[in-house]
Amino acid sequence: MAGSSTGNGPLQLHVPEPSVRPGDQPDFSSVKIPQAGTVERPPVDVDPRDIRDLAFSIIRVLNRKGEAVGPWAGSLTDEELRDGLRDMMTLRAFDARMQTAQRQGKTSFYMQHMGEEAVSCAFRKAMEPGDMNFPTYRQAGLLIAGGYPMVDMMNQIYSNEADPLKGRQLPIMYSSKEHGFFSISGNLGTQFIQAVGWAMASAIKRDTRIAAGWIGDGSTAESDFHAALVFASTYQAPVVLNIVNNQWAISTFQGIARGGSGTFAARGLGFGLPSLRVDGNDYLAVHAVAKWAVERARRNLGPTLVEYVTYRVGAHSTSDDPSAYRAKTESDAWPLGDPVIRLKNHLIVKGLWSDERHKQAEAEVMDSVIAAQKEAESHGTLHSGGKPSTRDMFEGVYETMPPHLRRQRQEAGV
Amino acid sequence: MPRMTMIEAIRSAMDVSMERDDDVVVFGEDVGYFGGVFRCTAGLQQKYGKTRCFDTPISELGIVGAAIGMAAYGLRPCIEIQFADYVYPAFDQIASEAARIRYRSNGQFTCPIVIRMPTGGGIFGGQTHSQSPEALFTHVSGLKVVVPSNPVDAKGLLIAAIEDPDPVIFLEPKRLYNGPFDGHHDKPVTPWSKHALGEVPEGHFTVPLGKAEVRRAGAELTVLAYGTMTYVSEAAAADTGIDAEIIDLKTLLPLDLETIVASVSKTGRCVIVHEATLTSGFGAELAALVQKHCFYHLEAPITRVTGWDTPYPHAQEWDYFPGPARVGRAMIETMEG
Ligand SMILES: Cc1ncc(C[n+]2csc(CCOP(=O)(O)OP(=O)(O)O)c2C)c(N)n1
Ligand SMILES: [Mg+2]
């Protein structure tokens, strides 16, 4: 901890370090995990000052046996649970195929969600049509669970002739206004305050729609995060502010961004925001907390800060190799398990599912992903087949193309 | 002499500087334990300890602001912004603070920091891994702006920048990290290990800031370029057979006007090439200076070949990137003009 040298000796700079590095034995004993079902569920109109302890605990619903327990259980029907499992399995299969497609040179870049599927998939189910997400690059579950066509996602990834964004954006930087998914920026953090602004606009216009902002643990260090919290707090904006703490920011462990504050959720306390921590690998817990926060926003009770405690199982992106900076078996040691397996086990415990049905569902899901991929590839991949035109490159900088760009387009011969 | 890639040369510059001067500290996102996403700082934390080379929170404003504070104390931070595209959150700290501290405190406080960042395109990085924001910095009084084009210059210029008493923006064309990319993207790139400019002295040396270099002597036309565009221009000269004199500016601010004027006065023709967008790009400054100082020698209008005035696209990378074909065409037009 900070201040290891006391008294009148020379000062010493404190630089936090993870306790485990490559070659070491993974150890998550410092992650304090309460038993499922033990954290209270306050009424949505609770005074934030009365639930400060929720910023230091972890709301969990699924216990080790796969049962849903405690006051946060029961937010989903059997049908919705089965859909949730399918959404997460679809996202996982989608990731697997696109990761491979990148390796095969069909696109330049990809980022996967392995281990974090529950966060975006379950959150999406707590929102209403018309609500708006301001996501990062690791929330494709919002699109999958929202029914956005996979083939359009793939067209974007391939930058092909059917790419809804005309080849202008890096793969996975989707945008769909219709599906409540704000255009992803490569510049970390920018979307967090924009979500607050969107929510403020909805309140200004006496609308009923709410917004959700998304940010990674590492990116909470950006000033945009702090701007979002102060604006949300000052104007009591109808927004859910989501921090996805997957323990890593590329090679940097979460302690560098968190510093001396016990948790990321605790950042909200100084702003007077209700701040909750939730088991991000527990589909039921994510959904229940999302629903609670969304309801607060919708009922004009103001913003909520939520930290999802999860783990980035895969590499940061296809440009990254985590074996250089973290223990190889760390993901196996992660104490909150795998979100897909946990929901699967829950469905089995409830008598709604079986191993055979799971296998069958895996095959169906993979078939649908492969079918979408075939269709997308018929429109081209990054380096072969149909591509967006060079003309497209000049369009859309402004609503009306100014003369200087028109001249440049002519010079380019298109 | 040892062979180095540009990455190794940059690392070596920091290593040599940290070895010689305890006040040199290195930090940035993923810079410490891992050694940077491009590996430019690999091994420095292991060698110098985590209080001299360390990971920072993801806050560019924080990185630059902290460096300014350290410089005010007396250190010489050499900091990394992971991509130039991510420097904007730090712009206030750079433009309003780092650049003006000497002036506004009348020298009581100074800001000897180096802000390194990879720039430029050619890697299918889309709009947030491809930008060339040099002109945003050359427009700020109080900054120096350096763009090396090869390993030996990268090392010598970086050491000079670290030793410089004023803030230096050090832009590293990432497409050159492993070899002299000339824009012929369908052909393999010669690695630096097989290139003369990949020969880099092991120890301390400097390449002076503010000095350009003629990369290819020629009589017919002058090309003003820097970074990746030096090689693209060389390729264009080879492709067109035009006897171009290609100048690698190396430092944009302060600019080596003498070398430029001597060359254009001789050739009477000038093509300016940069990856950054056209409007208000650094080429505009160069064109203004050339017409002012070489007006009576000019036999053709000065031409600029640049990135188009759009955000950097993904799929259309090679339509956007000013490659040898476009540069060659501009050279031919300038010869005819
Ligand atoms: C302004 C800015 N700075 C730096 C980067 C480079 N970068 C991309 S992702 C990343 C790590 C983000 O980590 P985190 O916020 O934890 O999200 P995660 O990737 O874990 O989902 C960094 C440093 C960037 N994209 N934008
Ligand atoms: Mg993270």
Side-chain angles (χ1 to χ4, degrees):
Chain A
M1 271 316 293
S4 50
S5 81
T6 50
N8 298 326
L11 299 164
Q12 194 188 337
L13 185 70
H14 173 68
V15 182
E17 242 183 317
S19 55
V20 177
R21 284 295 193 185
D24 299 338
Q25 203 53 36
D27 175 17
F28 285 109
S29 56
S30 61
V31 186
K32 294 276 165 285
I33 299 173
Q35 278 200 352
T38 55
V39 178
E40 61 170 316
R41 183 184 187 282
V44 289
D45 59 355
V46 68
D47 183 335
R49 281 170 302 187
D50 296 338
I51 55 163
R52 293 169 70 94
D53 54 327
L54 293 192
F56 301 97
S57 192
I58 302 181
I59 296 165
R60 307 179 63 229
V61 171
L62 290 174
N63 68 13
R64 230 169 267 199
K65 289 185 240 149
E67 299 155 343
V69 294
W72 293 89
S75 69
L76 292 153
T77 66
D78 292 352
E79 199 50 44
E80 287 168 339
L81 287 170
R82 271 194 298 252
D83 287 350
L85 182 61
R86 188 170 285 264
D87 289 339
M88 290 198 288
M89 291 168 75
T90 304
L91 180 53
R92 191 164 286 187
F94 184 94
D95 275 348
R97 295 295 298 188
M98 291 297 99
Q99 185 90 0
T100 307
Q102 191 276 342
R103 295 246 162 75
Q104 294 167 337
K106 292 175 179 173
T107 189
S108 57
F109 181 78
Y110 192 70
M111 297 178 97
Q112 56 164 326
H113 305 73
M114 180 73 91
E116 302 175 42
E117 291 90 345
V119 177
S120 54
C121 286
F123 189 92
R124 178 65 184 78
K125 295 297 192 186
M127 298 188 93
E128 297 291 334
D131 293 343
M132 186 61 77
N133 281 287
F134 287 76
T136 82
Y137 44 70
R138 231 185 284 281
Q139 277 93 48
L142 296 171
L143 291 172
I144 299 254
Y148 184 78
M150 277 191 282
V151 63
D152 286 339
M153 296 168 74
M154 290 169 172
N155 288 334
Q156 197 282 328
I157 290 166
Y158 288 142
S159 270
N160 65 19
E161 66 188 10
D163 173 2
L165 308 181
K166 307 228 182 246
R168 293 179 189 146
Q169 271 276 52
L170 196 67
I172 65 114
M173 301 283 175
Y174 316 107
S175 177
S176 174
K177 188 172 184 179
E178 196 189 332
H179 280 76
F181 194 94
F182 186 73
S183 158
I184 298 179
S185 172
N187 295 64
L188 295 173
T190 51
Q191 72 285 351
F192 218 53
I193 176 64
Q194 294 162 357
V196 177
W198 196 98
M200 287 168 64
S202 186
I204 290 169
K205 301 305 279 184
R206 312 294 307 267
D207 199 344
T208 58
R209 296 178 291 161
I210 61 125
W214 295 86
I215 203 163
D217 47 58
S219 306
T220 60
E222 292 283 10
S223 311
D224 313 65
F225 173 81
H226 302 270
L229 265 55
V230 70
F231 274 64
S233 167
T234 297
Y235 299 105
Q236 290 296 297
V239 64
V240 184
L241 294 171
N242 297 308
I243 304 168
V244 183
N245 175 6
N246 62 5
Q247 311 301 319
W248 290 94
I250 310 186
S251 77
T252 304
F253 90 116
Q254 45 86 22
I256 292 282
R258 181 173 48 76
S261 128
T263 68
F264 287 94
R267 293 258 190 265
L269 299 180
F271 294 91
L273 303 184
S275 304
L276 286 66
R277 269 177 114 220
V278 53
D279 178 345
N281 291 16
D282 178 340
Y283 187 92
L284 284 75
V286 170
H287 182 266
V289 169
K291 211 176 143 198
W292 189 88
V294 165
E295 191 185 334
R296 272 182 51 78
R298 189 102 53 208
R299 286 179 48 186
N300 212 33
L301 295 164
T304 307
L305 184 69
V306 184
E307 174 186 347
Y308 302 87
V309 182
T310 182
Y311 185 83
R312 193 197 81 207
V313 174
H316 170 72
S317 73
T318 47
S319 312
D320 174 48
D321 173 12
S323 67
Y325 54 79
R326 68 182 190 188
K328 270 210 173 85
T329 51
E330 205 180 78
S331 70
D332 301 329
W334 175 243
L336 293 175
D338 176 89
V340 175
I341 294 172
R342 283 176 69 190
L343 182 52
K344 173 195 162 197
N345 289 344
H346 175 59
L347 288 172
I348 291 174
V349 166
K350 285 195 90 174
L352 299 167
W353 204 245
S354 65
D355 279 317
E356 297 79 72
R357 283 207 42 199
H358 194 77
K359 274 217 182 73
Q360 193 190 333
E362 265 176 346
E364 286 165 15
V365 159
M366 190 50 92
D367 282 350
S368 66
V369 173
I370 290 172
Q373 189 178 9
K374 278 221 175 86
E375 189 187 334
E377 290 184 6
S378 76
H379 296 291
T381 57
L382 181 58
H383 299 296
S384 75
K387 44 166 67 84
S389 74
T390 309
R391 266 183 97 82
D392 286 332
M393 180 174 77
F394 291 96
E395 307 280 348
V397 184
Y398 302 92
E399 185 177 285
T400 312
M401 189 179 291
H404 74 281
L405 265 183
R406 202 171 294 281
R407 271 197 305 276
Q408 289 181 29
R409 194 180 67 185
Q410 272 161 13
E411 195 188 322
V414 291
Chain B
M1 204 180 297
R3 298 278 184 166
M4 294 186 196
T5 67
M6 201 147 146
I7 291 168
E8 290 161 345
I10 287 163
R11 185 189 304 149
S12 172
M14 286 184 272
D15 189 2
V16 165
S17 302
M18 292 175 91
E19 180 98 57
R20 283 166 61 101
D21 183 355
D22 278 351
D23 289 341
V24 177
V25 291
V26 167
F27 54 94
E29 296 158 16
D30 302 294
V31 155
Y33 182 85
F34 181 53
V37 295
F38 287 102
R39 319 315 319 279
C40 288
T41 56
L44 297 180
Q45 181 175 78
Q46 283 80 346
K47 189 163 172 190
Y48 298 101
K50 62 177 191 171
T51 60
R52 288 191 62 205
C53 176
F54 51 89
D55 291 321
T56 64
I58 303 173
S59 170
E60 291 73 17
L61 172 164
I63 295 166
V64 176
I68 294 170
M70 290 181 197
Y73 177 91
L75 301 190
R76 291 183 171 270
C78 175
I79 58 180
E80 177 176 299
I81 300 292
Q82 202 163 84
F83 284 83
D85 314 65
Y86 305 141
V87 73
Y88 306 118
F91 204 73
D92 191 32
Q93 287 288 344
I94 296 173
S96 314
E97 303 301 314
R100 301 189 203 150
I101 281 168
R102 173 187 297 283
Y103 188 78
R104 76 181 195 220
S105 73
N106 195 20
Q108 291 170 18
F109 295 99
T110 61
C111 193
I113 70 176
V114 179
I115 310 177
R116 297 178 38 243
M117 56 189 106
T119 59
I123 62 155
F124 277 92
Q127 51 191 269
T128 56
H129 305 91
S130 307
Q131 294 164 51
S132 299
E134 62 271 16
L136 298 177
F137 300 113
T138 56
H139 197 55
V140 176
S141 315
L143 299 178
K144 297 185 178 179
V145 180
V146 176
V147 190
S149 71
N150 59 74
V152 65
D153 277 353
K155 178 168 176 182
L157 287 166
L158 184 53
I159 295 175
I162 292 171
E163 294 173 0
D164 195 89
D166 286 306
V168 180
I169 307 292
F170 196 84
L171 304 168
E172 302 168 3
K174 66 180 90 69
R175 194 59 170 85
L176 298 182
Y177 273 152
N178 294 308
F181 178 65
D182 68 3
H184 283 302
H185 54 89
D186 40 359
K187 294 183 194 148
V189 173
T190 320
W192 286 120
S193 59
K194 298 214 174 78
H195 195 283
L197 295 169
E199 280 188 14
V200 183
E202 198 90 69
H204 178 273
F205 70 95
T206 58
V207 171
L209 305 187
K211 280 263 167 283
E213 187 173 334
V214 175
R215 286 272 163 238
R216 181 193 189 283
E220 293 186 306
L221 168 156
T222 299
V223 179
L224 303 181
Y226 46 93
T228 312
M229 289 301 130
T230 357
Y231 304 100
V232 172
S233 305
E234 282 176 5
D239 294 350
T240 57
I242 292 172
D243 186 21
E245 179 142 296
I246 297 169
I247 299 180
D248 177 356
L249 297 176
K250 299 197 211 183
T251 304
L252 307 188
L253 200 67
L255 185 69
D256 182 357
L257 190 58
E258 221 171 293
T259 301
I260 296 170
V261 171
S263 177
V264 181
S265 302
K266 179 179 76 177
T267 62
R269 296 170 202 272
C270 180
V271 173
I272 297 163
V273 193
H274 57 63
E275 282 185 72
T277 48
L278 178 76
T279 302
S280 301
F282 192 66
E285 180 65 30
L286 291 172
L289 287 167
V290 169
Q291 78 85 26
K292 166 85 182 157
H293 293 275
C294 310
F295 187 72
Y296 295 105
H297 297 278
L298 284 175
E299 291 170 41
I302 302 162
T303 300
R304 288 181 286 164
V305 188
T306 70
W308 307 112
D309 283 341
T310 74
Y312 205 110
H314 178 251
Q316 302 93 336
E317 173 116 44
W318 302 125
D319 300 323
Y320 183 89
F321 186 91
R326 275 180 64 203
V327 176
R329 236 178 290 134
M331 286 178 168
I332 291 167
E333 277 167 24
T334 305
M335 288 311 296
E336 289 164 354

